[in-house]
């Protein structure tokens, strides 16, 4: 996944590691990219932003398929339940963004009725 670092980052392993300066796009594994983005050290690259929008849409669709057992005490859908529907890992931040979208869409639908 492409990210844009907001701070200088060391990427790669051992002797193959390189420093990436803020603002320089770099490809990193998706799980690492999401951790860096969640911690505020990077933002999604241009291509990643499109992928993120598609992921959020997929999560919204997955939430609609969940049963009541798949929601936590806080009312939010469980990340693991969504992952099982999607067949891929997501972050809690992805879930939260999709959950807000889902609730907004549900409210709009209720208002139209």
């Amino acid at each position: 996944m492409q990210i844009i670092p907001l701070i200088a980052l060391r990427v790669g392993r051992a002797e193959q590691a390189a420093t990436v300066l803020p603002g320089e796009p770099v490809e990193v594994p998706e799980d690492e990219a999401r951790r860096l983005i969640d911690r505020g050290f990077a933002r999604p690259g241009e291509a990643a932003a499109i992928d993120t929008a598609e992921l959020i849409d997929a999560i919204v669709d997955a939430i609609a398929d969940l049963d009541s057992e798949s929601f936590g005490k806080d009312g939010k859908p469980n990340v693991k339940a969504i992952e099982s529907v999607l067949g891929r890992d997501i972050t809690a931040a992805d879930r939260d963004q999709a959950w807000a979208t889902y609730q907004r869409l549900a409210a709009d639908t209720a208002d139209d009725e």
Side-chain angles (χ1 to χ4, degrees), residues 84-97:
S84 69
V85 171
L86 294 178
R88 67 168 288 174
D89 291 342
I90 65 166
T91 66
D94 293 332
R95 183 269 323 267
D96 291 345
Q97 186 177 351

Side-chain angles (χ1 to χ4, degrees), residues 57-96:
D57 287 345
I59 295 170
V60 168
D61 290 342
I63 291 170
D65 293 339
L66 296 177
D67 60 24
S68 61
E69 304 281 320
S70 300
F71 290 78
K73 292 178 184 177
D74 60 1
K76 293 180 182 178
N78 294 322
V79 170
K80 293 292 182 196
I82 296 168
E83 289 174 340
S84 69
V85 171
L86 294 178
R88 67 168 288 174
D89 291 342
I90 65 166
T91 66
D94 293 332
R95 183 269 323 267
D96 291 345

Side-chain angles (χ1 to χ4, degrees), residues 1 3 29-39 42-44 48-63 66 76-83 86-104:
M1 176 175 180
I3 60 168
E30 187 170 345
D31 59 332
E32 183 178 349
R34 297 229 178 263
R35 280 195 301 274
L36 291 168
I37 292 166
D38 288 347
R39 294 182 68 197
R43 64 180 173 81
I50 295 167
D51 293 341
T52 300
E54 291 173 2
L55 175 62
I56 298 305
D57 287 345
I59 295 170
V60 168
D61 290 342
I63 291 170
L66 296 177
K76 293 180 182 178
N78 294 322
V79 170
K80 293 292 182 196
I82 296 168
E83 289 174 340
L86 294 178
R88 67 168 288 174
D89 291 342
I90 65 166
T91 66
D94 293 332
R95 183 269 323 267
D96 291 345
Q97 186 177 351
W99 180 235
T101 300
Y102 180 87
Q103 290 178 305
R104 207 170 28 253

Side-chain angles (χ1 to χ4, degrees), residues 3-9 11 20-26 36 41-43:
I3 60 168
I4 311 287
L6 302 176
I7 62 170
L9 295 175
V11 296
V20 180
L21 299 176
E24 282 184 30
V26 64
L36 291 168
F41 296 148
R43 64 180 173 81

